[in-house]
Amino acid sequence: QLQLVESGGGLVQPGGSLRLSCAVSGFSPESYTMGWFRQAPGKEHEGVSCISSYDGNTYYADSVKGRFTISRDNTKNTVSLQMNNLGPEDTAVYYCTAIMATKCSSSYSDMDYWGDGTPVTVSS
């Protein structure tokens, strides 16, 4: 019954933008610290961004800081990731995650829920 479903991924040219969305069902996103991880081919899951369930504080990996913005819409039970000025290094499968905690964790193994992912490819 608990489910996270990502959407919005696709092919985009360098310098372009995408907005990823995560639809939450079975629980309210404001009750969990929500976030995004990504996994490039042959690499481990990398924490990209998260938003605290306690105070709404946000976290961004250094590699995306200033380019990505995380937000949540509690009314619609969605979490979004606005990605601007994309580069080839951003190519990965992006996963929406949830953890029953009040602050972020950069360890994918700590996550309580995750979606199937949505692929993002940045190429000319």
Side-chain angles (χ1 to χ4, degrees), residues 26-46:
F27 62 96
S28 299
E30 67 268 24
S31 300
Y32 291 78
T33 291
M34 306 294 300
W36 293 88
F37 282 74
R38 67 185 182 185
Q39 185 177 37
K43 297 184 178 180
E44 297 181 349
H45 290 86
E46 175 191 13

Side-chain angles (χ1 to χ4, degrees), residues 105-118:
S105 172
S106 60
S107 297
Y108 191 75
S109 61
D110 289 342
M111 302 297 104
D112 295 310
Y113 304 99
W114 56 89
D116 291 335
T118 184

Side-chain angles (χ1 to χ4, degrees), residues 15-88:
S17 299
L18 285 174
R19 185 176 180 86
L20 306 183
S21 181
C22 174
V24 180
S25 62
F27 62 96
S28 299
E30 67 268 24
S31 300
Y32 291 78
T33 291
M34 306 294 300
W36 293 88
F37 282 74
R38 67 185 182 185
Q39 185 177 37
K43 297 184 178 180
E44 297 181 349
H45 290 86
E46 175 191 13
V48 176
S49 182
C50 63
I51 182 167
S52 171
S53 66
Y54 177 68
D55 54 13
N57 286 348
T58 57
Y59 162 85
Y60 299 95
D62 289 341
S63 59
V64 307
K65 192 174 299 182
R67 299 187 297 121
F68 291 10
T69 303
I70 189 171
S71 62
R72 64 186 178 194
D73 188 331
N74 295 331
T75 301
K76 298 180 179 180
N77 287 348
T78 59
V79 179
S80 298
L81 184 69
Q82 179 67 45
M83 307 186 296
N84 298 328
N85 194 25
L86 289 163

